[in-house]
Amino acid sequence: MANALRLGIAGLGTVGASVVNLLAKHGDAMARKAGRAVTISAVCARDPNRDRGIDLTGLSWFTDPVEMAKSDEIDVFVELIGGDNGPAENSVRAALAAGKHVVTANKALLAKHGVELAQIAEASKVSLNYEAAVAGGIPIVKTLRESMSGNDVSRVYGILNGTCNYILTRMEAEGISFEDCLADAQRLGYAEADPTFDIEGNDTAHKLAILTSLAFGTKISADDIYMEGITSITTADIQAADELGYRIKLLGVAQRTDTGIEQRVHPTMVPKSSAIARIDGVLNAVAVDGDFVGEVVLVGPGAGGNATASSVVADIADVARGDQTPVLGMPAADLDDYTRARMRLHEGGYYIRFSVVDRPGAFAEIAKCMADGGISLESIVQRRKAVGTGVPETGAQAEPQPVILITYETTEVAVRQALDAIASKGVVSGAPQMIRIEKLS
Amino acid sequence: MANALRLGIAGLGTVGASVVNLLAKHGDAMARKAGRAVTISAVCARDPNRDRGIDLTGLSWFTDPVEMAKSDEIDVFVELIGGDNGPAENSVRAALAAGKHVVTANKALLAKHGVELAQIAEASKVSLNYEAAVAGGIPIVKTLRESMSGNDVSRVYGILNGTCNYILTRMEAEGISFEDCLADAQRLGYAEADPTFDIEGNDTAHKLAILTSLAFGTKISADDIYMEGITSITTADIQAADELGYRIKLLGVAQRTDTGIEQRVHPTMVPKSSAIARIDGVLNAVAVDGDFVGEVVLVGPGAGGNATASSVVADIADVARGDQTPVLGMPAADLDDYTRARMRLHEGGYYIRFSVVDRPGAFAEIAKCMADGGISLESIVQRRKAVGTGVPETGAQAEPQPVILITYETTEVAVRQALDAIASKGVVSGAPQMIRIEKLS
């Protein structure tokens, strides 16, 4: 058997501790599988005295990750610090430059610096593996980078944020508001104290940026992602979706179009019959459409220390076996430039919910604006709100009534223009809700 | 770039032709990704003159696969002949012995000779890759062999035969009989003229045997699989399942128990809420429970020329990149012996449907036999059949009535003994139907 592969683990939070535990429990089995022992030589964290519930006896301690990255004591630098700059970035750069393999769970770092880091890794002829950075325990990076490498991918999409999916699932199941769900998710530890990054879609966008590059062979372009979070979703939308045969999911979607590659993160109506509609709670799911394989869907835990550690360790095992795959699926120099398909050219169906002023002709105005924009309607749902006594009110003084439209396939620009035209007529109250419908088999 | 990797493709049926097409279409992209060109040097089929709709200009033609396997013109022998003996077996052995990498889609060959072939491959230091042998386009071999290598697996299960799933799906959706569904599946090309191998569970068993070895690190033991096909499933069962909150799927399940590893293929009641319940038509799905990652589920096309070719080509790409993984996840010498957990010790819930003789006390006898066996009942469904006029018949001469029981968790031996006891009382007509319930999250 070859010399043991020596790891330096930077960051001993939840994932770091799980990696240490996993290696303690299954390290021997891993060595048999890889034909090479894997040992932790060094760890790096700010406070060496904190009790982390793991045995770190005999390991070298570093407080500066850059120093550990350059140390002769390690062959693989395992970056579990997080963040797209500072210690994480500096230490990963230092490790790659020093000829150390890097394994990381850091989606933000990859989304921002992935191509550049890939170039450094190539120059040093080392691996940069990051299975845990996208969808936690789901092996989607390997699936795209290796298993589907013989396919031309037309679309990759998925539920990539467990917090959002947990909130949407509970809103639907229990009929409770976004705010109440979020508070409960925070209480249960499924959402951060500052949840912005999750609920506004940034976390999903980081993961999508990486998937896009792997799927289409283009340079990572995280800044070109259209992004809408889930904060505007109401129980009324979820209920209407249900009645119309849909569920609402926060999807990240990257899709090849005639004008480039669309990257978008937004609440999405998905048909109840689709596989993705049935992914509940904190689970993640990723679907890839390949020209030869068809659609492959991977489902599993997208976060959590142990699930993430499983992917980190798989990346380490690849290094131990000597398997090396180009960081972004092909040499960085061969990656195509990313050409953004403008969101205004997006084609699809739309769900639109208006609060319509209750006066004669109001709906006719709306219908006319849609028709003028060349938008055909698949469904129209109007249900008078019962107020007070339960008897529907009528007459000019009544409060606005909800009207829901489902359009046939049209373009984003047509919908936006129609909504502007409708707003200018003074027939709706407040901003309409607009949710895109994703065509799924 | 290294010298081109030269392939010899044995077998030019549907999959072989798709592999040729895929390489023609995406060969250049693959070369960029792998850092090495991949070319077809030779092909082998019985009739060189048949029009296969693919361009084979300039390739060496062999009619004997063993001869091609040994030829200096190839580096990788791609076996797409099929069968667990004869030309397929002989040529794969010859190729491995001659130091050629082998890529195969042949589940029967692996299920029968996998361990021995792994030893030959190891001795020759070559790859034996077989992603396409299990679940077609789904990357389950790589997921188990690589991505989940840091996990202790407790169970692997799945829908591994598209023909059976297609039949069960249509029986449920359209309320038509097994026989009618089968005939239609044959007409549409989803079932073979002789469908025995699919509908009796053999095909699922072959795939399960391979998954078991990969999941548990044990020698392949295909002869130790308990097997029941779907031929006895009736629309009455499917309807009862629906009413009780289940769907019926033909599952292959391998599970670690206190007495060894259970391997079983049988129609299974799965909760409607489970991911596996929602896999319809010819799709396949495989789920793996790992101690660190939790449950990961992979869904996709389990058959078809193009989907299978996608996996074959991924295996070739691994060889081109120089990635080599132990054939069965670890060196063959390290595989544990397989210890069979006897089916009589299987623990789980059961669905049992009787035709009960319509006389006073008949059901009481059944209930007593179950109670005597220590079996608790979760549900009892008795619905009198309306006959002729639609008015329920009563009296000693009426025809037997269906009674359905759902048991709580018990053992196979307890259920078998209770059914024997019930049969001896003369209170049921014909053999009872018994379908196992799988506990799924």
Side-chain angles (χ1 to χ4, degrees):
Chain A
M1 212 178 255
N3 287 341
L5 185 75
R6 300 164 307 155
L7 312 177
I9 299 183
L12 288 175
T14 314
V15 177
S18 287
V19 169
V20 173
N21 282 330
L22 196 165
L23 291 169
K25 196 170 175 196
H26 298 316
D28 291 348
M30 278 187 60
R32 282 202 298 171
K33 293 175 185 175
R36 184 173 186 187
V38 173
T39 60
I40 303 175
S41 298
V43 290
C44 174
R46 264 177 252 159
D47 180 2
N49 299 314
R50 207 177 117 202
D51 180 12
R52 297 175 171 86
I54 47 175
D55 183 11
L56 301 169
T57 320
L59 306 184
S60 298
W61 262 95
F62 288 84
T63 47
D64 176 5
V66 174
E67 204 185 312
M68 186 174 79
K70 297 176 183 168
S71 160
D72 286 342
E73 292 177 60
I74 69 164
D75 305 307
V76 183
F77 182 73
V78 182
E79 188 273 303
L80 305 170
I81 303 168
D84 65 5
N85 54 27
E89 184 192 357
N90 296 336
S91 59
V92 166
R93 284 181 186 274
L96 294 174
K100 317 286 183 187
H101 303 284
V102 170
V103 170
T104 177
N106 191 333
K107 55 204 145 261
L109 182 69
L110 263 291
K112 189 164 175 188
H113 302 293
V115 175
E116 204 188 332
L117 295 175
Q119 285 162 338
I120 305 174
E122 281 170 28
S124 294
K125 299 195 196 315
V126 292
S127 291
L128 170 53
N129 290 342
Y130 50 92
E131 185 63 83
V134 185
I138 300 176
I140 184 62
V141 172
K142 191 176 272 279
T143 294
L144 281 169
R145 223 161 62 154
E146 303 177 22
S147 301
M148 291 186 62
S149 62
N151 286 266
D152 200 19
V153 173
S154 55
R155 179 172 60 170
V156 56
Y157 63 96
I159 295 172
L160 299 170
N161 183 276
T163 304
C164 288
N165 206 49
Y166 173 84
I167 292 172
L168 291 172
T169 303
R170 281 200 61 192
M171 284 177 71
E172 181 181 351
E174 301 170 33
I176 49 180
S177 73
F178 171 77
E179 290 73 18
D180 289 349
C181 263
L182 174 60
D184 221 40
Q186 286 172 316
R187 197 177 53 76
L188 294 165
Y190 292 144
E192 308 275 346
D194 177 0
T196 317
F197 207 72
D198 290 317
I199 63 177
E200 296 295 356
N202 306 73
D203 176 73
T204 299
H206 282 161
K207 295 166 184 168
L208 182 66
I210 299 169
L211 292 179
T212 303
S213 174
L214 288 168
F216 301 104
T218 50
K219 289 178 188 155
I220 298 174
S221 194
D223 293 338
D224 284 320
I225 299 181
Y226 175 84
M227 201 168 77
E228 267 176 41
I230 62 168
T231 55
S232 74
I233 301 298
T234 66
T235 48
D237 295 318
I238 287 179
Q239 203 183 322
D242 181 53
E243 287 168 19
L244 292 159
Y246 294 96
R247 299 185 73 183
I248 300 176
K249 297 290 184 187
L250 182 75
L251 292 193
V253 184
Q255 182 174 18
R256 199 184 282 286
T257 77
D258 292 343
T259 60
I261 292 167
E262 236 177 54
Q263 290 185 103
R264 48 194 166 88
V265 174
H266 52 70
T268 312
M269 294 273 183
V270 294
K272 279 187 192 172
S273 60
S274 65
I276 216 84
R278 288 136 168 185
I279 306 302
D280 285 334
V282 295
L283 282 180
N284 278 200
V286 190
V288 190
D289 297 333
D291 62 344
F292 273 76
V293 73
E295 180 168 285
V296 172
V297 185
L298 280 64
V299 182
N306 284 348
T308 308
S310 169
S311 287
V312 169
V313 166
D315 279 349
I316 294 169
D318 279 358
V319 175
R321 274 201 322 279
D323 287 0
Q324 200 164 319
T325 310
V327 177
L328 293 168
M330 63 180 70
D334 288 345
L335 292 167
D336 290 330
D337 286 329
Y338 171 80
T339 304
R340 179 181 192 160
R342 296 276 150 198
M343 199 59 198
R344 57 201 304 280
L345 299 179
H346 170 69
E347 294 181 7
Y350 288 79
Y351 157 102
I352 303 161
R353 179 169 55 80
F354 301 97
S355 288
V356 179
V357 172
D358 197 9
R359 67 164 168 75
F363 183 74
E365 294 267 27
I366 292 174
K368 182 165 186 308
C369 290
M370 301 298 277
D372 287 348
I375 300 167
S376 304
L377 303 179
E378 185 183 309
S379 311
I380 301 163
V381 180
Q382 178 168 20
R383 224 178 275 101
R384 291 203 155 260
K385 260 198 230 166
V387 181
T389 59
V391 179
E393 283 189 33
T394 53
Q397 299 310 309
E399 67 174 295
Q401 298 292 322
V403 170
I404 289 160
L405 306 181
I406 298 282
T407 77
Y408 281 108
E409 189 151 307
T410 177
T411 61
E412 181 100 358
V413 65
V415 170
R416 296 268 179 208
Q417 285 172 353
L419 294 186
D420 287 348
I422 290 164
S424 74
K425 306 283 182 193
V427 293
V428 298
S429 153
Q433 170 73 295
M434 184 264 267
I435 302 177
R436 294 167 194 86
I437 300 172
E438 190 73 16
K439 221 177 180 171
L440 301 175
S441 55
Chain B
M1 213 180 255
N3 287 341
L5 185 75
R6 300 164 307 154
L7 313 177
I9 298 182
L12 289 175
T14 314
V15 178
S18 286
V19 170
V20 173
N21 281 332
L22 196 166
L23 291 170
K25 196 168 173 196
H26 298 315
D28 290 347
M30 278 188 60
R32 281 200 299 169
K33 293 175 186 177
R36 185 174 184 186
V38 173
T39 59
I40 303 175
S41 297
V43 290
C44 174
R46 264 177 253 157
D47 179 2
N49 298 316
R50 206 176 118 203
D51 180 13
R52 296 175 171 85
I54 46 177
D55 183 11
L56 301 167
T57 319
L59 306 184
S60 297
W61 262 94
F62 289 84
T63 48
D64 176 4
V66 174
E67 203 184 314
M68 185 173 78
K70 297 178 186 168
S71 160
D72 286 341
E73 292 178 61
I74 69 165
D75 306 305
V76 184
F77 182 74
V78 182
E79 187 273 303
L80 304 170
I81 302 166
D84 64 6
N85 53 28
E89 184 192 358
N90 296 336
S91 59
V92 167
R93 285 180 185 275
L96 294 174
K100 317 285 184 191
H101 302 285
V102 169
V103 170
T104 176
N106 190 332
K107 56 205 145 256
L109 182 68
L110 263 291
K112 190 166 176 188
H113 302 293
V115 176
E116 204 188 333
L117 295 175
Q119 285 162 339
I120 304 173
E122 281 170 28
S124 295
K125 299 193 193 317
V126 293
S127 291
L128 169 53
N129 291 342
Y130 50 92
E131 186 62 84
V134 184
I138 300 176
I140 184 61
V141 172
K142 191 176 272 280
T143 294
L144 281 169
R145 219 159 67 153
E146 302 176 24
S147 300
M148 291 186 62
S149 62
N151 287 265
D152 200 21
V153 173
S154 55
R155 179 171 62 171
V156 56
Y157 63 95
I159 295 171
L160 299 170
N161 183 275
T163 304
C164 288
N165 207 49
Y166 174 83
I167 291 173
L168 292 172
T169 303
R170 281 201 60 192
M171 283 177 72
E172 182 182 348
E174 300 171 33
I176 50 179
S177 73
F178 170 79
E179 291 72 19
D180 289 349
C181 263
L182 174 60
D184 221 40
Q186 287 172 316
R187 195 177 54 77
L188 294 166
Y190 293 144
E192 308 274 345
D194 177 0
T196 317
F197 206 74
D198 289 317
I199 62 177
E200 296 295 355
N202 307 71
D203 176 72
T204 300
H206 281 160
K207 295 166 184 167
L208 182 64
I210 298 168
L211 292 180
T212 304
S213 174
L214 287 168
F216 300 105
T218 51
K219 288 177 189 158
I220 298 174
S221 193
D223 293 339
D224 284 320
I225 299 181
Y226 175 84
M227 202 168 77
E228 268 177 39
I230 61 166
T231 55
S232 73
I233 301 298
T234 67
T235 48
D237 295 319
I238 287 177
Q239 202 183 322
D242 181 52
E243 287 168 19
L244 291 159
Y246 295 96
R247 300 185 72 181
I248 301 175
K249 296 291 184 186
L250 183 74
L251 293 194
V253 184
Q255 183 173 19
R256 200 184 281 287
T257 77
D258 293 342
T259 61
I261 292 166
E262 238 177 53
Q263 288 185 102
R264 47 196 167 84
V265 174
H266 52 71
T268 311
M269 295 272 186
V270 293
K272 278 186 194 172
S273 60
S274 65
I276 216 85
R278 288 137 169 185
I279 307 302
D280 286 334
V282 295
L283 281 181
N284 278 203
V286 190
V288 190
D289 297 333
D291 61 345
F292 273 78
V293 74
E295 181 167 285
V296 171
V297 185
L298 279 64
V299 182
N306 283 349
T308 307
S310 169
S311 287
V312 168
V313 166
D315 280 349
I316 294 168
D318 279 357
V319 174
R321 272 201 322 279
D323 287 0
Q324 199 163 319
T325 309
V327 179
L328 293 166
M330 62 180 72
D334 288 346
L335 292 168
D336 291 330
D337 287 330
Y338 172 79
T339 304
R340 179 180 191 162
R342 297 276 151 197
M343 199 59 197
R344 56 202 305 279
L345 299 179
H346 170 69
E347 294 179 6
Y350 289 79
Y351 156 102
I352 303 160
R353 178 170 54 81
F354 301 98
S355 286
V356 180
V357 171
D358 197 7
R359 65 164 167 76
F363 182 73
E365 293 266 29
I366 291 175
K368 184 166 183 308
C369 289
M370 300 299 276
D372 288 348
I375 300 168
S376 303
L377 302 180
E378 185 182 308
S379 311
I380 301 163
V381 180
Q382 180 170 18
R383 223 177 277 102
R384 292 201 153 264
K385 259 197 227 165
V387 182
T389 59
V391 178
E393 282 190 34
T394 53
Q397 299 310 310
E399 67 172 295
Q401 298 291 322
V403 171
I404 288 159
L405 306 181
I406 299 282
T407 78
Y408 280 108
E409 189 151 307
T410 179
T411 62
E412 181 100 359
V413 65
V415 169
R416 296 266 179 211
Q417 284 171 356
L419 294 186
D420 287 348
I422 290 163
S424 73
K425 307 285 184 191
V427 292
V428 298
S429 154
Q433 170 73 295
M434 185 263 268
I435 302 177
R436 294 168 196 85
I437 299 171
E438 191 73 15
K439 221 176 178 171
L440 300 175
S441 56

